């Protein structure tokens, strides 16, 4: 091992997961943010966490409402993932602009995203300020999986793709 800059070392972390967090304004307008920083945090009760930068529109929406849907996008949703990570919900209706379909949630106000590989309805149970980001810990109220076989999307640093199927016998 040799010492490196933080930036150079971070380039080597890929691939990383990519998720879409759906939140909603107090006026009932949903927004989607693309995130790379998400994780499971507890089995009992089931919990997950996402990290969002302070200036992001979604950051304020989740602070205001205390809810978010965590959706794991499929490779077919790649263009929408890039769009949702590039444009602000302050200025654009991301569901309308991307064509992603909303599915009503059971326990929270933000909708789910149709054709996600998996999705979770979450209620914020705690926050942690970490420099220029806030980690939102959410209790998972219920979970969903795709009815059809879809491949999950990952961030490879320079591009987004699914992970190739592993076949040890090369068949």
């Amino acid at each position: 091992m040799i010492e490196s800059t933080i930036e150079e070392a971070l380039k080597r972390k890929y691939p990383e997961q990519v998720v879409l967090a759906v939140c909603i304004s107090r006026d009932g307008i949903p927004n989607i943010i693309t995130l790379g920083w998400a994780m499971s945090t507890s089995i009992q009760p089931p919990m997950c966490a996402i990290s969002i930068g302070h200036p992001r529109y979604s950051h304020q929406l989740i602070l205001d409402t205390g809810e978010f849907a965590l959706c794991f996008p499929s490779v077919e949703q790649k263009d929408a993932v890039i769009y949702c990570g590039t444009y602000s919900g302050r200025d654009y209706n991301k569901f309308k602009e991307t064509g992603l379909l909303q599915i009503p949630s059971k326990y929270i106000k933000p909708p789910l995203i149709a054709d996600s590989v998996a999705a979770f309805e979450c209620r914020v149970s705690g926050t942690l300020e970490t420099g220029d980001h806030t980690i939102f810990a959410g209790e998972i109220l219920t979970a969903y999986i795709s009815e059809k076989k879809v491949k999950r999307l990952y961030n490879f640093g320079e591009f987004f793709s699914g992970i190739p199927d592993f076949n040890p016998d090369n068949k």
Side-chain angles (χ1 to χ4, degrees):
M1 302 287 294
I2 61 171
E3 190 169 358
S4 167
T5 65
I6 294 170
E7 293 78 19
E8 185 62 32
L10 286 174
K11 290 179 186 176
R12 297 189 181 195
K13 70 178 181 166
Y14 296 101
E16 78 175 1
Q17 69 177 339
V18 60
V19 298
L20 295 172
V22 184
C23 46
I24 198 163
S25 71
R26 290 184 181 184
D27 298 330
I29 300 168
N31 184 56
I32 309 165
I33 185 171
T34 300
L35 301 171
W37 297 345
M39 62 184 241
S40 298
T41 61
S42 173
I43 296 169
Q44 200 53 254
M47 296 181 75
C48 64
I50 57 175
S51 183
I52 302 177
H54 294 158
R56 303 288 179 243
Y57 180 56
S58 297
H59 182 276
Q60 188 60 51
L61 295 184
I62 294 172
L63 280 177
D64 289 347
T65 65
E67 299 178 331
F68 62 92
L70 183 60
C71 301
F72 291 80
S74 68
V75 294
E76 290 82 12
Q77 295 170 322
K78 178 178 82 168
D79 292 341
V81 166
I82 294 168
Y83 185 93
C84 291
T86 305
Y87 296 95
S88 174
R90 285 184 184 97
D91 305 315
Y92 298 93
N93 180 322
K94 295 181 188 179
F95 274 104
K96 180 180 175 186
E97 298 294 329
T98 63
L100 290 172
L101 299 176
Q102 300 178 41
I103 299 173
S105 295
K106 186 174 182 180
Y107 298 110
I108 63 173
K109 290 181 182 167
L112 304 169
I113 298 172
D115 300 322
S116 296
V117 175
F120 303 91
E121 293 185 26
C122 302
R123 184 161 297 127
V124 174
S125 61
T127 62
L128 176 65
E129 298 300 314
T130 58
D132 59 359
H133 280 62
T134 299
I135 296 173
F136 294 94
E139 182 173 354
I140 299 171
L141 305 175
T142 191
Y144 304 86
I145 58 173
S146 175
E147 295 177 47
K148 56 187 177 182
K149 185 175 180 176
V150 290
K151 190 176 275 197
R152 190 170 156 198
L153 186 68
Y154 288 87
N155 178 357
F156 283 81
E158 299 290 324
F159 63 94
F160 291 87
S161 180
I163 293 178
D165 293 331
F166 176 70
N167 184 349
D169 299 325
N170 291 325
K171 295 180 183 175

